[in-house]
Amino acid sequence: MLAAADADIILARYPLTLTTETVPFDKALGRILAETIVADRDFPPFDRVAMDGIAINYDALADGKTAFTILGTQRAGEPAQPLPDPVACLEVMTGAILPPGADTVIRYEDLSIVDGTATLTAHDEVQRGLNVHPQGTDRRPLDVLLSAGVQLRPVDLAVVASVGQTSVSVRRRPRVAVISTGDELVDIHQTPLPHQIRQSNAYLLQAALRDLGIDAGVYLFVDDITTITTGISTLLSTHDVLISTGGVSAGKADFVPDILSGLGIHRHFHKIEQRPGRPMWFGSSAGNERVVFALPGNPVSTTMCFYRYVRPYLQRAMGGPADPPLFVQLAGPVTFKPELTYFIPARIEDSPNGQLLAYPLPGSGSADFTNLTAADAFVELPPHESLFPTGTVAQAWSIG
Ligand SMILES: Nc1nc2c(c(=O)[nH]1)N[C@H]1C(S)=C(S)[C@@H](COP(=O)(O)OP(=O)(O)OC[C@H]3O[C@@H](n4cnc5c(N)ncnc54)[C@H](O)[C@@H]3O)O[C@H]1N2
Ligand code: MOO
Ligand SMILES: [Mg+2]
């Protein structure tokens, strides 16, 4: 059987292959860019005036001239207007093209303007090129502005807009379906008979997926091979990722692994040396265009497996980094004898010394999901020890 860390390695080996789609750039916030955005022209595209003031030819100043006749005004958005006389000046506004013949801009704060003549009041600091943002100094045509794979933030969209791209190619969001299997399950609007329960795992998964920005449909199948086979086969034709709960262990109605294999989903692992969540199954189609997580039905197992394995996998598939686990210190001792990685629910609190303290909440096992309402995370305790004293430092996986 597989150790938890080996499951991570296998999951990383089979990343979901997502095709791309083109979306209007103003709908692309948060999406993963699937193309390279290059500069279409120089940035800035012309020698750009960086301060409101006057544009002069520095040679005149170097020759000792400090008063300049104003011969006109060059505003932002106006075509270039040459400086008609190298010893005169033009008033210029921020964002204007620098008048050809001028090379230096003196801001209004360093001038006194009387009767159409601008006189420098402070010129010690003036150098050739002052307050000019030269053409092409930020980026040259075809320079890469954004690389494929980045998650588009508002600043990135500004860059996309600036090169005139009204639509961008982004990675498609995974289409995900959640499947519950079990003859004992009824949906939430039904009243369960004494031998039945309301299904709850699918709604946990649906909500946890919504946290990732994924809207997933929920499907409930009875434990019947034909029903599950037909259902999963249909969903595979329209989804990238299926997440099922139940039917993956050793029971007479645990049909899911065989059905998935029969539908061409190659098993990459079945069972991890852990509690809860031991029977977890993971597989993918050839080329990884479809992946399936078949999670154990016990609700605490479903929850742990989702937050420990599925959520980070999907975060990576969508191009983002996976949220790292927290580092916590046990606030009480834990004993766990089996040679399995133990994921114990815990309440997490800040401590005055800056450490996160984890208060263990063992509950009554992997079916006791009501215990999770008090928990913030699962603390991951390694398999080869059985006593974890107060103060043990461990990783913990937040459950939202
Ligand atoms: N002989 C063995 N028995 C079991 C083993 C084993 O290794 N050998 N593994 C145990 C472990 S560990 C787990 S976890 C469970 C996993 O069972 P399955 O994935 O096959 O799930 P089911 O049998 O369908 O159901 C188990 C349990 O979970 C409840 N359930 C299922 N789906 C839902 C849902 N959508 N909402 C709420 N509750 C759900 C179901 O009613 C059962 O009580 O197997 C152990 N057995
Ligand atoms: O995953 Mo099972 O009991 O380990 O709940
Ligand atoms: Mg079972």
Side-chain angles (χ1 to χ4, degrees):
M1 227 197 300
L2 201 67
D6 296 330
D8 289 328
I9 293 168
I10 294 178
L11 288 163
R13 204 179 290 156
Y14 298 98
L16 179 65
T17 308
L18 281 176
T19 55
T20 60
E21 63 181 343
T22 300
V23 296
F25 92 95
D26 57 348
K27 297 278 181 295
L29 183 65
R31 305 294 298 271
I32 306 303
L33 187 64
E35 63 176 315
T36 305
I37 304 290
V38 297
D40 59 332
R41 60 203 295 225
D42 280 328
F43 275 64
F46 46 78
D47 288 338
R48 176 185 156 271
V49 171
M51 288 286 186
D52 305 314
I54 60 165
I56 61 165
N57 186 314
Y58 184 81
D59 289 342
L61 187 70
D63 287 345
K65 193 167 174 58
T66 55
F68 298 85
T69 306
I70 300 171
L71 296 182
T73 305
Q74 172 80 68
R75 290 163 45 152
E78 289 179 343
Q81 186 187 147
L83 180 64
D85 177 350
V87 295
C89 71
L90 288 175
E91 286 188 76
V92 287
M93 303 304 134
T94 305
I97 188 164
L98 184 72
D103 57 10
T104 303
V105 171
I106 317 288
R107 42 180 214 153
Y108 283 130
E109 292 87 327
D110 300 329
L111 297 171
S112 117
I113 298 183
V114 179
D115 294 336
T117 298
T119 305
L120 271 66
T121 51
H123 49 84
D124 294 352
E125 309 283 303
V126 179
Q127 293 165 359
R128 194 187 299 278
L130 184 70
N131 297 325
V132 176
H133 185 184
Q135 176 171 349
T137 46
D138 297 347
R139 295 288 187 275
R140 304 306 314 274
L142 300 183
D143 275 358
V144 173
L145 303 178
L146 291 168
S147 301
V150 302
Q151 184 166 26
L152 292 167
R153 304 164 302 160
V155 286
D156 304 318
L157 291 178
V159 166
V160 173
S162 75
V163 299
Q165 239 179 283
T166 52
S167 58
V168 274
S169 170
V170 294
R171 225 178 278 172
R172 211 160 40 66
R173 285 217 172 90
R175 296 166 303 188
V176 184
V178 169
I179 301 164
S180 286
T181 59
D183 284 341
E184 75 282 23
L185 304 176
V186 297
D187 217 338
I188 46 172
H189 47 269
Q190 290 172 278
T191 305
L193 297 171
H195 56 280
Q196 295 176 320
I197 60 166
R198 291 192 185 90
Q199 69 146 330
S200 54
N201 290 347
Y203 296 106
L204 161 97
L205 293 169
Q206 188 183 46
L209 288 164
R210 201 165 289 141
D211 248 1
L212 295 176
I214 297 171
D215 280 322
V218 163
Y219 303 84
L220 172 58
F221 301 135
V222 291
D223 287 322
D224 169 73
I225 294 178
T226 309
T227 305
I228 300 177
T229 305
T230 310
I232 289 184
S233 166
T234 306
L235 291 172
L236 279 172
S237 66
T238 46
H239 293 79
D240 308 297
V241 180
L242 303 186
I243 307 174
S244 68
T245 77
V248 290
S249 190
K252 295 282 187 224
D254 290 340
F255 303 130
V256 173
D258 286 346
I259 289 173
L260 287 169
S261 298
L263 289 171
I265 303 298
H266 304 286
R267 182 190 69 196
H268 301 313
F269 63 73
H270 186 192
K271 299 194 176 102
I272 303 176
E273 291 167 10
Q274 62 183 11
R275 184 174 298 163
R278 188 171 160 135
M280 179 177 168
W281 190 102
F282 167 67
S284 70
S285 64
N288 302 326
E289 274 146 4
R290 304 276 180 271
V291 302
V292 181
F293 295 90
L295 308 183
N298 271 331
V300 179
S301 314
T302 308
T303 310
M304 190 287 285
C305 290
F306 180 84
Y307 284 101
R308 171 64 179 81
Y309 302 104
V310 184
R311 183 183 147 97
Y313 180 95
L314 291 176
Q315 284 181 312
R316 288 195 195 96
M318 291 190 291
D323 292 337
L326 309 168
F327 277 92
V328 299
Q329 229 175 31
L330 287 182
V334 175
T335 303
F336 184 73
K337 297 253 168 62
E339 286 269 306
L340 300 169
T341 300
Y342 182 34
F343 290 89
I344 183 162
R347 184 167 52 81
I348 309 288
E349 273 186 20
D350 282 327
S351 73
N353 66 9
Q355 264 283 349
L356 291 175
L357 293 180
Y359 292 85
L361 300 169
S364 62
S366 52
D368 180 10
F369 64 107
T370 56
N371 180 46
L372 295 182
T373 58
D376 301 303
F378 284 94
V379 179
E380 180 169 345
L381 297 170
H384 304 302
E385 287 158 58
S386 46
L387 297 175
F388 302 93
T390 300
T392 300
V393 173
Q395 295 190 336
W397 300 86
S398 175
I399 59 169

Tab-separated table of all heavy atoms in Angstrom, residues 62 102 346 371:
chain	number	residue	atom	x	y	z
A	62	ALA	N	22.884	74.902	-21.184
A	62	ALA	CA	24.322	74.695	-20.996
A	62	ALA	C	25.102	75.938	-21.441
A	62	ALA	O	26.161	76.259	-20.891
A	62	ALA	CB	24.789	73.468	-21.779
A	102	ALA	N	13.411	69.384	-28.698
A	102	ALA	CA	13.583	69.556	-27.244
A	102	ALA	C	14.088	68.241	-26.676
A	102	ALA	O	13.887	67.169	-27.271
A	102	ALA	CB	12.255	69.941	-26.601
A	346	ALA	N	-8.845	18.779	14.357
A	346	ALA	CA	-8.380	19.635	15.445
A	346	ALA	C	-8.939	21.038	15.299
A	346	ALA	O	-9.227	21.498	14.186
A	346	ALA	CB	-6.853	19.691	15.453
A	371	ASN	N	-18.670	15.821	14.374
A	371	ASN	CA	-17.479	16.255	15.111
A	371	ASN	C	-16.708	17.329	14.347
A	371	ASN	O	-16.019	18.153	14.940
A	371	ASN	CB	-16.597	15.017	15.348
A	371	ASN	CG	-15.319	15.333	16.098
A	371	ASN	OD1	-15.362	16.043	17.097
A	371	ASN	ND2	-14.196	14.825	15.634
